[in-house]
């Protein structure tokens, strides 16, 4: 007997990437991402410009995704879109498009929680990607979030700890800005860090609860350190960029590793996953792999293309929701704020 083929279109527009993906039974047929370069000049995402760019990109991006998947739009079984959290003006573009398209095709609509999608990206049917068994822990690290989540089933999430202020991605991006690097600076710090000495400088780590994070103090510490040194030597940054980046990266990754170790100890769960844009970071990937031997963990690291914002993760969440018939009403609203367990 032939297995029924379920085609899902995923749409992501929560921040500054317009993305559409087509999946067939959890396998990616296409995953198109249009980045918005326009924000680089402003050193951060400008919400109004993001919304306008989504409006320009959404139709061509969806068209391309369907074309590359080599299917007809009438073969789609459901449309999944990011409901939140994110920038309201950006979310509205994806939401309105998804609604009209689903209505036009007369197929179900599935509202997806972006934070859940980052985690559920681990269930994309792809080579070199193992699916974690339940329960597992996930360190979700992105430009907007830093949290440790316990996942007991596809749609059963519990936050064990999170940041009290800035997200880790912000710590990366703001440090990069102080160093005169363009936005988003996280990947650049990662790149320069590989050429530098991680022990060159020391930054004070925050003192918060065992499973809590705080990055605003670290950010200020880095800013003061740079200001002080540049006052003494105007070429301080250029002369020491690799060492500065390596030291910042070392501090941040040490914080992340300590917290996930605490969570594993407290829950006695040794299946450890990472998700979100910062999980593209080479050092956290390296240290997690090393922890497998050291602590008897099994770690789950998503393929590169599923770490930063993408529609494949929305599509897989849509597919899992489809199987449980978790459909949304046509009047479902975008939500700027949304917790992973909602
Ligand atoms: O998940 P994401 O694409 O968007 C949000 O939902 O926030 O994450 C974006 C964040 C940015 O802060 C970016 O600097 C960071 O992920 N990032 C990295 C790396 N690649 C992306 N941070 C450190 N190292 C990287 N290799
Ligand atoms: Zn994200």
């Amino acid at each position: 007997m032939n297995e029924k083929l379920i085609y899902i279109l995923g749409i992501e527009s929560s921040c500054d990437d317009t993305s559409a993906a087509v999946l067939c039974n959890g396998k990616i047929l296409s995953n198109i991402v249009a980045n918005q370069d326009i924000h680089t000049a402003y050193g951060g995402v400008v919400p109004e410009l993001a919304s306008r760019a989504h409006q320009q990109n959404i139709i061509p991006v969806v068209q391309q995704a369907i074309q590359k998947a080599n299917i007809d739009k009438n073969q789609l079984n459901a449309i999944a879109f990011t409901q939140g959290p994110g920038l309201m003006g950006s979310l509205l573009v994806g939401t309105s498009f998804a609604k009209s398209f689903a209505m036009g095709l007369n197929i179900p609509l599935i509202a997806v929680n972006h934070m859940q999608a980052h985690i559920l990206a681990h269930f994309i049917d792809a080579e070199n990607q193992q699916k974690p068994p339940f329960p597992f822990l996930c360190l979700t690290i992105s430009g907007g979030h830093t949290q440790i989540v316990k996942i007991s089933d596809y749609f059963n999430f519990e936050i064990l700890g999170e940041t009290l202020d800035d997200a880790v991605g912000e710590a990366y991006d703001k440090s990069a800005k102080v160093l005169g690097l363009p936005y988003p600076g996280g990947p650049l710090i990662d790149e320069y860090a590989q050429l530098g000495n991680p022990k060159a400088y020391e930054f004070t780590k925050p003192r918060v609860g065992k499973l809590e994070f705080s990055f605003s103090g670290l950010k200020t510490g880095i800013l003061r350190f740079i200001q002080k040194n540049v006052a003494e030597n105007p070429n301080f940054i250029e002369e020491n960029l690799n060492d500065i980046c390596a030291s910042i990266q070392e501090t941040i990754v040490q914080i992340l590793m300590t917290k996930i170790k605490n969570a594993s100890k407290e829950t006695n769960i040794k299946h450890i996953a990472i998700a979100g844009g910062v999980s593209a970071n080479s050092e956290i990937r390296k240290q997690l792999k090393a922890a497998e031997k050291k602590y008897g963990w099994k770690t789950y690291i998503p393929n590169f293309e599923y770490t930063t914002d993408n529609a494949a993760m929305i599509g897989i969440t849509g597919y899992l929701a489809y199987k449980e018939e978790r459909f949304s009403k046509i009047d479902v609203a975008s939500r700027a704020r949304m917790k992973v367990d909602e």
Side-chain angles (χ1 to χ4, degrees):
M1 201 179 76
N2 283 338
E3 191 188 3
K4 187 168 182 242
L5 298 181
I6 305 296
Y7 292 95
I8 307 280
L9 170 69
I11 294 173
E12 154 66 25
S13 73
S14 66
C15 190
D16 59 343
D17 297 305
T18 320
S19 180
V22 175
L23 284 78
C24 177
N25 288 10
K27 272 205 175 70
I28 310 296
L29 301 184
S30 61
N31 182 31
I32 310 291
V33 184
N35 306 115
Q36 303 180 356
D37 295 331
I38 189 161
H39 307 287
T40 310
Y42 298 90
V45 177
V46 185
E48 178 59 27
L49 295 181
S51 175
R52 257 188 262 171
H54 282 304
Q55 287 183 45
Q56 285 165 356
N57 292 342
I58 189 106
I59 292 177
V61 164
V62 169
Q63 238 165 9
Q64 240 180 300
I66 293 175
Q67 217 167 44
K68 190 161 176 230
N70 205 13
I71 63 160
D72 186 89
K73 63 180 188 301
N74 292 307
Q75 286 175 268
L76 291 171
N77 294 85
I79 295 179
F81 69 96
T82 306
Q83 180 184 15
L87 301 169
M88 191 44 103
S90 293
L91 290 166
L92 282 170
V93 178
T95 305
S96 328
F97 181 87
K99 283 182 180 182
S100 6
F101 204 24
M103 251 203 293
L105 294 172
N106 198 22
I107 54 174
L109 185 68
I110 299 167
V112 169
N113 178 323
H114 180 92
M115 301 310 297
Q116 294 182 359
H118 268 301
I119 298 174
L120 295 176
H122 284 281
F123 294 96
I124 289 172
D125 216 339
E127 272 178 49
N128 326 319
Q129 211 179 259
Q130 272 203 315
K131 296 171 186 158
F134 301 115
F136 69 95
L137 298 181
C138 186
L139 176 67
T140 306
I141 40 182
S142 73
H145 295 84
T146 306
Q147 52 189 218
I148 298 176
V149 184
K150 179 181 165 187
I151 301 95
S152 303
D153 204 346
Y154 291 125
F155 292 99
N156 187 341
F157 301 84
E158 183 192 345
I159 300 175
L160 302 182
E162 60 188 330
T163 181
L164 304 175
D165 41 60
D166 290 352
V168 59
E170 271 177 282
Y172 263 107
D173 295 338
K174 286 178 182 166
S175 302
K177 197 169 179 180
V178 172
L179 296 173
L181 302 173
Y183 175 86
L188 292 170
I189 292 194
D190 190 10
E191 198 181 312
Y192 294 124
Q194 306 191 29
L195 306 169
N197 171 12
K199 305 273 181 246
Y201 308 106
E202 224 176 289
F203 301 105
T204 315
K205 296 199 189 77
R207 267 183 233 111
V208 288
K210 272 183 137 181
L211 302 181
E212 282 170 349
F213 302 85
S214 166
F215 288 104
S216 75
L218 177 65
K219 180 186 71 190
T220 315
I222 292 169
L223 175 66
R224 296 236 172 88
F225 165 84
I226 297 293
Q227 283 173 335
K228 181 174 152 275
N229 280 285
V230 169
E232 287 164 13
N233 169 15
N235 298 324
F236 177 73
I237 296 178
E238 295 87 276
E239 287 168 11
N240 302 285
L241 187 60
N242 296 342
D243 285 349
I244 301 169
C245 289
S247 303
I248 292 173
Q249 175 131 303
E250 171 79 0
T251 309
I252 293 179
V253 173
Q254 267 184 16
I255 295 171
L256 298 175
M257 286 303 293
T258 304
K259 300 299 170 166
I260 193 70
K261 262 185 259 173
N262 291 346
S264 172
K265 240 191 217 163
E266 281 200 8
T267 57
N268 205 21
I269 296 174
K270 290 176 186 285
H271 290 280
I272 312 287
I274 49 171
V278 183
S279 67
N281 185 265
S282 64
E283 189 59 29
I284 187 81
R285 286 173 170 246
K286 205 165 35 182
Q287 293 205 18
L288 268 181
K289 271 286 152 221
E292 289 205 324
K293 260 210 189 114
K294 216 160 148 192
Y295 307 113
W297 289 359
K298 178 99 187 69
T299 62
Y300 303 85
I301 301 176
N303 286 351
F304 230 62
E305 63 266 39
Y306 309 136
T307 55
T308 46
D309 289 348
N310 66 86
M313 68 184 199
I314 305 302
I316 189 69
T317 308
Y319 175 61
L320 297 169
Y322 183 93
K323 290 203 290 187
E324 296 188 14
E325 296 186 22
R326 290 169 168 266
F327 301 128
S328 307
K329 294 211 179 96
I330 198 76
D331 62 353
V332 60
S334 306
R335 292 173 59 188
R337 294 180 167 276
M338 213 175 171
K339 292 241 170 216
V340 71
D341 51 1
E342 287 181 59

